[in-house]
């Protein structure tokens, strides 16, 4: 695995790392168009650089409360196989180079209900959980619906 360069985001009191090579951009939360009949954590679609990006409230996924009214809330747009998704977090703080020797054993995480946590980075004064957005997007209910919905909108445009 080697070193990991990651965007550090905050949800709850915790810090999470998103690998920088799949992060497309960090945006302010703009107008989101809701899509009916989707789980609470799916806020809807936001237009980012002309593309419709589904916004997932990562704060909600983890802690059952929303990040959308927090003043520092940011949308981290990440690339997954199916489509780009925006993760709404309380804050996107910094880009960090994380050395592999700070990774803790991932067996701890294998039994957890959160298969999208891949490892925990144990730094002197902070612990950061590494998130794999690809696994996250595969596990969330509603992602296929969202993907199909966006594809159908694109088809209508042509």
């Amino acid at each position: 695995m080697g070193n990991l360069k990651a965007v550090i985001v905050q949800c709850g009191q915790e810090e999470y790392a998103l690998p920088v090579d799949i992060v497309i951009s960090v945006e302010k939360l703009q107008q989101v168009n809701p899509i009916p009949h989707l789980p609470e954590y799916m806020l809807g679609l936001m237009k980012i650089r002309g593309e419709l990006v589904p916004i997932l409230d990562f704060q909600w996924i983890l802690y059952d409360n929303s990040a959308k009214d927090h003043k520092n809330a940011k949308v981290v747009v990440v690339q997954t196989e199916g489509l780009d998704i925006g993760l709404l977090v309380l804050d996107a703080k910094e880009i960090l180079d994380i050395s592999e020797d700070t990774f803790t054993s991932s067996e701890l995480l294998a039994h957890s209900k959160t298969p999208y946590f891949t490892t925990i980075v144990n730094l002197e004064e902070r612990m950061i959980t590494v998130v794999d957005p690809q696994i996250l997007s595969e596990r969330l209910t509603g992602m296929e619906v969202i993907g199909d919905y966006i594809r159908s909108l694109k088809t209508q445009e042509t």
Side-chain angles (χ1 to χ4, degrees), residues 81-129:
E81 259 168 49
L83 75 166
D84 297 347
I85 56 177
L87 295 175
L88 179 65
V89 296
L90 294 182
D91 202 357
K93 302 174 148 189
E94 63 193 310
I95 292 177
L96 209 56
D97 269 314
I98 303 167
S99 153
E100 190 177 10
D101 55 17
T102 61
F103 294 173
T104 54
S105 152
S106 46
E107 283 99 62
L108 293 171
L109 298 164
H111 304 295
S112 113
K113 288 184 174 136
T114 44
Y116 40 84
F117 292 165
T118 52
T119 185
I120 290 178
V121 178
N122 195 357
L123 301 176
E124 219 165 278
E125 300 195 352
R126 53 206 281 213
M127 273 175 54
I128 302 172
T129 306

Side-chain angles (χ1 to χ4, degrees):
M1 197 165 176
N3 288 1
L4 171 71
K5 200 178 183 99
V7 176
I8 307 303
V9 302
Q10 186 181 347
C11 279
Q13 300 300 308
E14 307 300 316
E15 292 182 306
Y16 297 88
L18 297 163
V20 93
D21 53 2
I22 56 158
V23 172
I24 298 168
S25 64
V26 177
E27 312 282 340
K28 282 198 158 71
L29 184 64
Q30 307 288 348
Q31 185 195 342
V32 174
N33 299 320
I35 304 168
H37 314 301
L38 282 178
E40 291 255 21
Y41 53 75
M42 298 250 176
L43 294 180
L45 299 175
M46 182 171 123
K47 207 165 211 166
I48 299 173
R49 300 194 176 97
E51 290 293 314
L52 289 174
V53 177
I55 306 300
L56 308 184
D57 195 330
F58 198 46
Q59 172 77 14
W60 187 279
I61 292 168
L62 298 173
Y63 298 105
D64 284 344
N65 59 56
S66 178
K68 65 177 182 269
D69 300 323
H70 287 260
K71 64 177 190 321
N72 293 331
K74 302 276 187 319
V75 173
V76 181
V77 183
V78 292
Q79 212 168 8
T80 67
E81 259 168 49
L83 75 166
D84 297 347
I85 56 177
L87 295 175
L88 179 65
V89 296
L90 294 182
D91 202 357
K93 302 174 148 189
E94 63 193 310
I95 292 177
L96 209 56
D97 269 314
I98 303 167
S99 153
E100 190 177 10
D101 55 17
T102 61
F103 294 173
T104 54
S105 152
S106 46
E107 283 99 62
L108 293 171
L109 298 164
H111 304 295
S112 113
K113 288 184 174 136
T114 44
Y116 40 84
F117 292 165
T118 52
T119 185
I120 290 178
V121 178
N122 195 357
L123 301 176
E124 219 165 278
E125 300 195 352
R126 53 206 281 213
M127 273 175 54
I128 302 172
T129 306
V130 180
V131 177
D132 182 330
Q134 181 60 46
I135 299 173
L136 177 69
S137 73
E138 287 164 9
R139 293 297 172 114
L140 288 176
T141 327
M143 281 311 291
E144 282 173 21
V145 179
I146 280 260
D148 294 345
Y149 182 76
I150 289 175
R151 281 185 284 280
S152 77
L153 290 176
K154 282 186 174 161
T155 327
Q156 288 169 16
E157 285 172 9
T158 51

